[in-house]
Amino acid sequence: MYKKRFDGRAFNELRPISAKAGIIKRADGSAMFKIGDTIAYAAVYGPRDLYPKFLKDPEKGILRCNYNMMPFSGSGDRVRPGPSRRSRELSLVIEKALLPVVDLSDFPNSVVDVFIEYPQTDAGSRCAGICAAAMALADAGIAMKDLVVAVSVGRVDDQLVVDLNYDEEAYEDGPVADIPVAMIPSTGEISLLQMDGEVSKEDLLRAIGMMKEVAGKIYDVQKAALKEKYTKGE
Amino acid sequence: MSQLLVQEKEIVVPGETIAEGMDYIPSKGMYRSGEQVKSAHVGLVYIEGKVLKLVPLSGRYLPKRGDSVIAKVTDITMNGWIMDINSAYSAMLPLKDATPEYVEKGADLTKYFTFGDLVFCKISNVTSQNLVDLSLRGPGLRKLNGGRALKIAPSKVPRLVGKQGSMVSMIKKYTQCQIIVGQNGLVWLQGEPEQELLTIDTIRLVEQRSHLSGLTDYISNYLAEKCGPLSDEQHNEQVNDDVQETI
């Protein structure tokens, strides 16, 4: 029985969130998204010329994401720098989660590069990365249908919870399911759904429902951060 | 019933609903989803009757035929130069559009423009695949020697130029600097070193406050404070640069 969460949150409560847009001056667009102890920085460069040439798409621009955890970002063990099987996969799913909203048809043969870096992680990094990347893309002025919000949901033992932290993911006295979900807030469409663990169909649907309930809170933070950047100077 | 959900000059983010109902007409940078009009950029909303306009606050420069831009030489080919125009695409300046002189086949083109040179030129053509051609044929188009160059957001260029070039000519009058504004967000200026610095500060200020009203007054007060009020002579002086800025 998982009666009380390790950090004392309610079962449908997110960790504290903060966000900021435009933190990397040299990038065309950038954002920081922090949820609990997970911090994601996203920097967007482009649209710009794409090399190697064979990757070019003459019909529309392409999106290229790169997920990277800094060596000191984990729980204490050094994260080996450089690409790994895991970071390659996460780069890909983040890209797929963002693609439905970005419109690069005005920029054929070009690329938009998104670099997502993590100075500190405590589970839910791909979701934090998606939130940061969506804001950074908007900050870079790329045409988008909407932002993307993402948060993981799941079950710890017999309890459905929102936004698992690492302690919950590593819960040992019962089964755990970690389900990262990304959603396009205006339509409710889901652009990322993965799962690690085991869960029944009913619980999965209920968990996604819980995600939809809290998505608005994340969206509000993203929106406010973007607006804040541009109202500065008054 | 149609209903507007934002106010004039309000900042919107992608996906934010600007208006509901079919009575409002979206323009560039917005899209319709069902009955709603939504934004596709971070930008400011302007309402002109039933037409909604969105001015993006960021974004890359999209090359357009007829624009005057400041380009930088990145490569030299057999028959011209490859130039960086601060957009997603590089541009080509063919030799025949760059100089009226006869140039021998295989001549060394670096004697005209070499790597890193800034050239104020015009976009003569843009194809559907965004291959950009440049030209130096036109009044005021030339190589930019010396001076300083800085980048501003391309979306803020119209504010820096002002109506009929009012903002930039005001800055010129006060600082006595030559200023050339490229539509691609590159600004080149030349003058006395201290005045150059002041001009850069002023341009940054314009960029920062571009979405606020009363910008022209604010900038003229700022400049008057820094360089003292304009003498009558300066006031009536026509800024007769060889360059005519376009909006």
Side-chain angles (χ1 to χ4, degrees):
Chain A
M1 286 287 273
Y2 188 59
K3 279 195 184 128
K4 194 161 178 292
R5 293 181 83 167
F6 292 125
D7 51 8
R9 278 181 290 158
F11 291 116
N12 63 349
E13 191 182 339
L14 296 163
R15 289 176 282 177
I17 310 173
S18 58
K20 199 162 192 280
I23 36 164
I24 298 163
K25 293 278 174 289
R26 288 271 291 153
D28 294 313
S30 60
M32 181 276 288
F33 187 87
K34 182 176 177 201
I35 180 158
D37 288 334
T38 300
I39 306 173
Y41 285 88
V44 171
Y45 294 86
R48 60 181 178 184
D49 250 352
L50 171 57
Y51 293 101
K53 245 179 157 175
F54 66 84
L55 292 174
K56 284 187 178 177
D57 182 343
E59 291 186 353
K60 59 179 189 327
I62 67 165
L63 186 70
R64 197 161 55 175
C65 293
N66 188 54
Y67 169 105
N68 186 43
M69 274 168 76
M70 293 184 188
F72 47 81
S73 64
S75 51
D77 288 341
R78 179 174 135 95
V79 178
R80 249 178 84 92
S84 63
R85 190 207 59 76
R86 179 174 177 274
S87 68
R88 185 77 190 82
E89 178 201 327
L90 294 185
S91 305
L92 197 76
V93 297
I94 291 173
E95 190 182 303
K96 300 274 187 234
L98 295 168
L99 260 181
V101 296
V102 296
D103 173 16
L104 293 172
S105 52
D106 276 349
F107 294 97
N109 288 325
S110 70
V111 63
V112 174
D113 275 313
V114 183
F115 298 100
I116 305 166
E117 296 283 336
Y118 297 88
Q120 186 175 302
T121 56
D122 181 33
S125 65
R126 77 196 70 184
C127 295
I130 290 169
C131 294
M135 291 168 61
L137 285 165
D139 183 35
I142 287 156
M144 298 167 82
K145 267 196 275 182
D146 203 347
L147 297 172
V148 182
V149 294
V151 70
S152 66
V153 287
R155 99 167 151 146
V156 179
D157 211 347
D158 56 345
Q159 187 63 51
L160 289 177
V161 293
V162 160
D163 193 15
L164 287 78
N165 64 17
Y166 187 74
D167 290 339
E168 289 175 323
E169 251 180 31
Y171 187 79
E172 282 181 342
D173 302 333
V176 176
D178 173 31
I179 310 166
V181 187
M183 192 181 81
I184 300 160
S186 61
T187 58
E189 287 171 303
I190 284 169
S191 62
L192 167 77
L193 185 62
Q194 290 184 297
M195 188 181 67
D196 179 19
E198 53 184 272
V199 76
S200 69
K201 183 185 167 191
E202 291 73 31
D203 279 354
L204 174 66
L205 292 173
R206 271 177 51 213
I208 294 173
M210 285 167 84
M211 186 272 168
K212 289 191 174 178
E213 277 166 32
V214 294
K217 286 184 190 151
I218 303 173
Y219 181 60
D220 289 343
V221 173
Q222 288 176 306
K223 211 162 104 173
L226 278 171
K227 290 191 177 184
E228 198 203 310
K229 180 191 166 187
Y230 291 98
T231 37
K232 238 177 10 195
E234 276 185 59
Chain B
M1 269 316 277
S2 292
Q3 186 188 2
L4 211 57
L5 297 177
V6 296
Q7 277 151 13
E8 172 100 5
K9 278 196 154 185
E10 195 171 315
I11 297 176
V12 290
V13 301
E16 195 167 347
T17 311
I18 300 172
E20 262 166 10
M22 301 304 279
D23 286 349
Y24 287 100
I25 301 156
S27 56
K28 203 171 175 286
M30 297 175 217
Y31 66 98
R32 202 184 268 292
S33 142
E35 292 260 295
Q36 294 169 327
V37 176
K38 293 186 173 185
S39 163
H41 287 283
V42 178
L44 291 173
V45 178
Y46 288 87
I47 301 150
E48 287 174 14
K50 294 204 176 302
V51 182
L52 302 170
K53 294 216 163 136
L54 186 77
V55 178
L57 287 167
S58 56
R60 265 290 159 100
Y61 169 68
L62 246 184
K64 215 166 75 232
R65 189 181 180 161
D67 276 2
S68 306
V69 297
I70 295 176
K72 189 175 171 184
V73 178
T74 54
D75 201 359
I76 302 172
T77 66
M78 288 288 279
N79 50 6
W81 294 264
I82 308 285
M83 318 278 273
D84 172 23
I85 50 167
N86 194 29
S87 94
Y89 306 97
S90 48
M92 173 82 189
L93 174 62
L95 182 59
K96 69 179 170 63
D97 290 324
T99 168
E101 290 170 39
Y102 171 72
V103 181
E104 197 76 40
K105 209 172 190 180
D108 180 17
L109 296 187
T110 54
K111 79 172 191 204
Y112 299 100
F113 309 123
T114 186
F115 303 104
D117 280 356
L118 291 178
V119 185
F120 184 49
C121 38
K122 198 168 215 112
I123 294 180
S124 57
N125 199 16
V126 183
T127 69
S128 65
Q129 290 305 299
N130 286 319
L131 301 172
V132 183
D133 279 336
L134 299 171
S135 166
L136 267 178
R137 290 184 186 173
L141 304 178
R142 63 187 173 100
K143 180 176 163 185
L144 303 172
N145 293 310
R148 297 168 193 245
L150 68 150
K151 272 184 193 173
I152 63 168
S155 55
K156 312 244 159 119
V157 166
R159 261 346 267 274
L160 178 59
V161 173
K163 281 194 182 102
Q164 266 97 49
S166 59
M167 179 70 80
V168 79
S169 53
M170 180 176 81
I171 302 176
K172 280 181 191 170
K173 269 185 201 165
Y174 275 106
T175 61
Q176 299 292 310
C177 281
Q178 278 189 65
I179 307 174
I180 293 179
V181 185
Q183 293 287 303
N184 58 342
L186 249 68
V187 182
W188 176 87
L189 52 105
Q190 191 171 39
E192 291 297 312
E194 266 121 63
Q195 298 297 313
E196 282 183 352
L197 290 177
L198 173 64
T199 312
I200 291 173
D201 287 347
T202 316
I203 291 170
R204 290 275 170 244
L205 211 61
V206 173
E207 194 187 10
Q208 240 173 51
R209 304 180 60 95
S210 61
H211 56 286
L212 305 174
S213 52
L215 180 69
T216 313
D217 293 340
Y218 183 86
I219 296 296
S220 78
N221 287 341
Y222 174 80
L223 284 170
E225 198 180 297
K226 292 270 172 180
C227 356
L230 286 179
S231 63
D232 282 351
E233 192 186 318
Q234 276 176 314
H235 207 69
N236 298 325
E237 183 188 338
Q238 282 293 316
V239 186
N240 45 10
D241 241 350
D242 47 349
V243 183
Q244 204 70 64
E245 273 79 14
T246 45
I247 302 173

